Structures are given as C-alpha cells and as structure tokens.
Amino acid sequence: MSAYVLVNVRTSDGSDEMAEYSRTFPATLEPYGGRFVVRGGDIDVREGSWDGTWLVVLEFPSLGRARQWYESDAYREAAALRTGHADLDFLVVDGL
C-alpha cells in the first residue's frame, strides 16, 4: 500500500542553504521509490486557513519505505541544510 509524506513548509528565506536543500533533496527519494506528487504551486484555500509558503506531497511504495527514507543518512544530510531557515509540519500517512 502506498504511503504519503505531507509537508507544510513555512519560509521566506532565500538563503544559499535553502537553495542547496532544494537541489539535493530530490535525489534522496529515488533509492526508496519516492516521487513528488505536489511540489509547490498555487494553493487555493477553500475552507479553514493556510499558513504555509508551499506544500510538498511525496508518494512512497509503503509506509516502511517512507520511514526508511526519512531516517536515511542522505535525507538527514539534506535536511540539515534547512535547519534555521524553514519551519515544517511533516506527516507520514498510509494511503488507501
């Protein structure tokens, strides 16, 4: 069963570190079968409120693979680049 990573990103930081994170982060997905479903784009809030700068949705073949990716050295190294430059809400959920 597929699993999804949902990330609400809040940043206005155009730092070199965030640019490097944006460049290196995608390569960490492939070894775990991950792919982008949503990466930014216009957000049309129809109910409630939205406090993010952009939304990211990733799909993985399973919850286990999503967790392995998140805990991988490659992702941890990439994630360290954004420390202090972005606030995230980061969820991993099972699909149907």
Side-chain angles (χ1 to χ4, degrees), residues 6-89:
L6 304 133
V7 187
N8 175 15
V9 182
R10 290 174 301 282
T11 183
S12 58
D13 186 335
S15 68
D16 291 342
E17 290 85 0
M18 282 303 292
E20 182 65 15
Y21 172 72
S22 293
R23 282 191 297 276
T24 59
F25 163 67
T28 68
L29 300 171
E30 187 178 331
Y32 301 92
R35 71 177 189 91
F36 284 99
V37 176
V38 174
R39 187 177 189 190
D42 291 331
I43 296 173
D44 181 5
V45 178
R46 296 296 175 115
E47 294 187 35
S49 62
W50 176 256
D51 68 344
T53 306
W54 73 82
L55 176 69
V56 176
V57 178
L58 307 172
E59 181 180 41
F60 288 86
S62 68
L63 191 59
R65 294 302 277 172
R67 288 176 174 155
Q68 288 172 347
W69 163 76
Y70 182 78
E71 295 166 2
S72 71
D73 290 340
Y75 177 68
R76 295 278 97 209
E77 287 177 25
L81 294 168
R82 67 172 160 67
T83 301
H85 301 283
D87 292 317
L88 302 149
D89 298 314

